[in-house]
Amino acid sequence: AALAVPSFIRARQRAQASNLVNDARILSAAVDQYMIENPSATQSSITFTNLTPYLKNQSRLVVANGADIFGAALLTNGNVAISANSKLRVSPAVLPTDNNFWSGY
């Protein structure tokens, strides 16, 4: 069991990181669509409410009102970014120190 725990933690971290990147990708696409349909809008004026028509109804992003899985906003002044507050909340000793974070088990 002691050997399996680090693997489970790493798998959870990878899933969380993938979820954050995917949510940012979806919001970025929604911003692009909004800007195409509203060329007179400035990017800094975009709010999450403007983007909801471009997101899947009842998706996790819509239900969470644009927050990531940790509760931090993904959209700030029209820019999509993963906040420093969204970092994975685990002990630094558990985080991988090599470049193989995304590699197979």
Side-chain angles (χ1 to χ4, degrees):
L3 294 174
V5 171
S7 295
F8 291 135
I9 291 172
R10 184 174 177 198
R12 184 185 70 196
Q13 291 172 339
R14 287 172 23 159
Q16 290 171 337
S18 294
N19 191 324
L20 287 174
V21 170
N22 190 47
D23 286 350
R25 181 188 59 79
I26 291 169
L27 270 184
S28 181
V31 168
D32 290 344
Q33 290 175 334
Y34 179 80
M35 293 298 288
I36 289 170
E37 292 184 11
N38 300 284
S40 61
T42 60
Q43 187 167 353
S44 62
S45 68
I46 298 174
T47 63
F48 185 76
T49 306
N50 299 126
L51 301 179
T52 52
Y54 304 97
L55 300 172
K56 190 181 219 180
N57 194 18
Q58 298 300 319
S59 67
R60 197 202 59 74
L61 271 175
V62 172
V63 172
N65 201 25
D68 64 18
I69 58 175
F70 297 115
L74 284 169
L75 184 71
T76 306
N77 295 328
N79 294 314
V80 177
I82 297 173
S83 168
N85 296 331
S86 297
K87 61 187 173 193
L88 304 178
R89 292 171 173 86
V90 295
S91 166
V94 178
L95 292 174
T97 56
D98 58 6
N99 291 330
N100 295 323
F101 182 69
W102 296 102
S103 68
Y105 297 87

